[in-house]
Amino acid sequence: MLSTATVTAGSRPILKVECKMRRSVMVTAEKFPAFLPRDVERIKDTFALKLAARIERLPVQVSFTEDRIMSSCVTPLMGNKTSLPVVLLHGFDSSCLEWRYTYPLLEEAGLETWAFDILGWGFSDLGKLPPCDVASKREHFYKFWKSHIKRPVVLVGPSLGAAVAIDIAVNHPEVVESLVLMDASVYSEGTGNLATLPKAAAYAGVYILKSVPLRLYANFLSFNGISLETSWDWTKIGRLHCLYPWWEDAAVSFMTSGGYNVTSLIKQVTQKTLIIWGEDDQIISNRLAWRLHGELPNASVKQISNCGHLPHVEKPAAAAKLITEFVRETCRCKEVESIS
């Protein structure tokens, strides 16, 4: 039975999320991992606080650095060997906290759900800074999967996370059973001219990227009709990982590497794909959903009305329903194939 949970900021309700909740969503005194920036305690969003309390770091050994990378993620409360694991990526310069509203709904639906922080972003320990280019991000995810998940997954990528997902699906098809691409940023040519900036100019650019005014503006572009109070709290959530001392170095490493350019990889994707798009996306036109649909060999499109660039934040119930149905359909098809 559907109930309505309300996230509050101070005394004002800021977001209603339809969800199957067997437990209270109110946060009383969450105990946060010691490695999170202390500013996490200034966040009011109860869903963000609950998910932040579950973030952990798992060791990942990669080839491009001698030390294991303690890699941040949210792990499932329980496994589900009868279903495919779902792995949630995030967008550009973000973290697993993007999934604060949708993650609990996927768990309530019985899915084995992981939320993974892409190398260079999120809350991993990058004190001994590794390279944060595309190849390093890909290997880091692959080694994480090989060490901790070990089964084919449904890989979910929103915004730039869709480019990350396509890059992984093409280069490591054994990892990805199927894909969910949400408001996909897959037609940009990497970081463009930013890759040729002198280091001083690159650091000036990432300083602006972390700035509160820019983050606030991005929120107003991304979401429909949110209040200044809500946008301020979401800005604190969105830039929390930027408070680590290594964040600027990691951001410059990615920027100067050239970033993601996966346009040529799209037609190489063989996995079944669900494309989800917010009809009112002001960042990436929903017309590109149909272009992407035409270039992927096995894809379907679902649009969410009255929704902007990040459906899993703005319309979590709708996003969770579409993802859950797609995962179950993928599992059914896999069972039929194994029988035949």
Side-chain angles (χ1 to χ4, degrees), residues 36-43 49 236 239-240 243:
L36 288 183
R38 293 191 64 181
D39 280 36
V40 67
E41 297 174 1
R42 301 174 62 185
I43 292 169
L49 295 175
K236 288 187 286 186
R239 68 190 295 272
L240 183 64
L243 303 180

Side-chain angles (χ1 to χ4, degrees), residues 177-181 266-275 292-301 326 329-330 333 337:
E177 181 70 30
S178 58
L179 287 169
V180 179
L181 308 177
I266 293 171
K267 292 182 180 179
Q268 298 179 44
V269 173
T270 59
Q271 293 89 343
K272 185 175 182 178
T273 303
L274 172 64
I275 301 166
L292 185 58
H293 176 260
E295 294 179 2
L296 287 168
N298 187 10
S300 59
V301 177
F326 179 71
E329 179 187 351
T330 300
C333 291
E337 290 174 3

Side-chain angles (χ1 to χ4, degrees), residues 8 43 46 48 71 84 146 150 158 162 181 189 191 199 211 235:
T8 59
I43 292 169
T46 55
S71 306
L84 291 164
K146 191 173 183 180
K150 305 175 184 178
L181 308 177
E189 297 182 359
T191 55
K199 279 292 180 70
S211 68
T235 296

Side-chain angles (χ1 to χ4, degrees), residues 11-22:
S11 59
R12 295 177 57 191
I14 62 172
L15 181 71
K16 290 187 177 180
V17 182
E18 288 185 345
C19 53
K20 295 178 180 178
M21 285 292 182
R22 299 192 188 99

Side-chain angles (χ1 to χ4, degrees), residues 230-259:
T230 299
S231 185
W232 173 238
D233 200 45
W234 287 5
T235 296
K236 288 187 286 186
I237 296 167
R239 68 190 295 272
L240 183 64
H241 67 286
C242 302
L243 303 180
Y244 285 124
W246 54 75
W247 174 82
E248 290 182 1
D249 293 330
V252 168
S253 174
F254 174 73
M255 181 190 299
T256 57
S257 74

Side-chain angles (χ1 to χ4, degrees), residues 82-95:
T82 64
S83 180
L84 291 164
V86 178
V87 180
L88 308 173
L89 304 176
H90 54 74
F92 170 71
D93 193 31
S94 186
S95 76

Side-chain angles (χ1 to χ4, degrees), residues 11 36 56 59 77 131 152 166-167 207 224 260 266 273 310 330:
S11 59
L36 288 183
E56 56 188 289
L77 290 176
I166 286 174
D167 178 71
Y207 179 80
N224 281 329
Y260 282 92
I266 293 171
T273 303
L310 298 176
T330 300

